[in-house]
Amino acid sequence: VSLAVISIFFIGTNGLVHASAKTLPGDNLYPVKRSWEGVQVLLTFDTKARTELEVKQGTERLDELNEVFAALQVNELVNNN
């Protein structure tokens, strides 16, 4: 495998991960975001840093759920009027 092919793979993967950063549950790229977060945890060997990362990711899940619920409430209000 040539260096060019490997470089293209990593550049494409990096772009995909970056594009998925602000996705919410139900979005097409959300599984990419979650997979990348799993890789980050897997590659964090320091126990304290890993715990902090897991707490940060858990907080992000709660924030995402709040956004999804807020959007559902807005849609419900719009559809009822």
Side-chain angles (χ1 to χ4, degrees), residues 2-80:
S2 73
L3 182 59
V5 172
I6 293 171
S7 297
I8 290 171
F9 173 76
F10 283 112
I11 290 170
T13 302
N14 185 36
L16 193 59
V17 167
H18 183 69
S20 71
K22 296 295 181 184
T23 60
L24 296 173
D27 292 341
N28 289 333
L29 289 178
Y30 191 73
V32 173
K33 176 182 181 176
R34 294 290 309 194
S35 296
W36 174 245
E37 289 175 347
V39 169
Q40 288 177 308
V41 170
L42 186 67
L43 296 177
T44 303
F45 300 107
D46 180 70
T47 305
K48 182 180 178 188
R50 179 182 282 222
T51 300
E52 290 172 355
L53 182 59
E54 289 172 335
V55 168
K56 178 182 173 242
Q57 291 176 355
T59 302
E60 288 177 15
R61 295 297 79 76
L62 292 172
D63 291 343
E64 291 168 356
L65 286 174
N66 284 329
E67 285 185 53
V68 168
F69 289 139
L72 289 172
Q73 289 174 341
V74 168
N75 285 339
E76 187 175 309
L77 286 173
V78 169
N79 290 333
N80 288 334

